[in-house]
Amino acid sequence: MTVTRQAGTRRPARRRTLLLGLVALGTLFPPPTPAPGPTIKDETFVTARTSGILHIEAGECFTDPAYSGEAAEVVVLYTPCHERAANQSYGFVHAPDGEWDPAALSAFAWRSCRRGFDSHWSGESASGLNFYPILPTRETWAGGDRDVMCVVYSPDGPMDGSALPAAS
């Protein structure tokens, strides 16, 4: 007697086995979890080439960079400050023309953004805040970009609203 099997009868079992194997494998290698504690951001955290950053104006808030499947790249998004944004631009400084010199540009950016930070926040108002500069890249510098964005953030997570002091 010959036993015939209908085509495709073993496939669901194979798929289930494969799926269970992938699920089990996923538990061995879980996705990375952000390190607990404060986040420290530096001049490499966001650059002029990060999608979306060139649309942010002084005083506006935005997200931390994250991969967008829709855009198929890492982006930052404008976020109203009252919606607990991660970052807020507090100004721009224009770097002097010259040859591309990343060390000199970084020193200029940190010094300039520090002056702006200190003029906006001092004493108790600076508590819980930090800043970082967003620099032109070699490519954007070659295209004439000399603007450095200065950004305030809370190392402890999203801010409760605009960090900028109210105008008096």
Side-chain angles (χ1 to χ4, degrees), residues 42-62:
D42 66 11
E43 72 274 8
T44 63
F45 185 67
V46 177
T47 72
R49 294 208 40 183
T50 305
S51 288
I53 198 63
L54 297 179
H55 299 290
I56 304 300
E57 299 292 332
E60 292 183 334
C61 294
F62 58 98

Side-chain angles (χ1 to χ4, degrees), residues 86-105:
N87 309 279
Q88 184 173 17
S89 170
Y90 63 88
F92 290 84
V93 291
H94 192 77
D97 284 335
E99 293 297 315
W100 170 249
D101 182 346
L105 177 60

Side-chain angles (χ1 to χ4, degrees), residues 9-153:
T9 55
R10 288 190 70 204
R11 272 211 150 131
R14 283 186 188 167
R15 285 186 186 151
R16 261 192 310 269
T17 303
L18 181 59
L19 180 60
L20 289 173
L22 289 174
V23 168
L25 187 59
T27 62
L28 293 175
F29 303 102
T33 304
T39 300
I40 304 301
K41 301 175 183 182
D42 66 11
E43 72 274 8
T44 63
F45 185 67
V46 177
T47 72
R49 294 208 40 183
T50 305
S51 288
I53 198 63
L54 297 179
H55 299 290
I56 304 300
E57 299 292 332
E60 292 183 334
C61 294
F62 58 98
T63 63
D64 280 345
Y67 182 79
S68 164
E70 194 174 292
E73 62 186 334
V74 173
V75 300
V76 299
L77 300 171
Y78 164 81
T79 302
C81 295
H82 68 273
E83 291 183 11
R84 297 189 44 80
N87 309 279
Q88 184 173 17
S89 170
Y90 63 88
F92 290 84
V93 291
H94 192 77
D97 284 335
E99 293 297 315
W100 170 249
D101 182 346
L105 177 60
S106 179
F108 167 82
W110 281 103
R111 190 173 51 251
S112 298
C113 289
R114 164 59 71 192
R115 274 195 305 272
F117 183 84
D118 289 346
S119 74
H120 287 301
W121 300 277
S122 62
E124 187 62 31
S125 70
S127 179
L129 297 176
N130 207 340
F131 73 96
Y132 65 98
I134 298 177
L135 309 178
T137 63
R138 176 185 297 275
E139 294 81 13
T140 64
W141 185 271
D145 179 14
R146 302 295 186 267
D147 292 329
V148 172
M149 181 189 291
C150 299
V151 179
V152 65
Y153 73 101

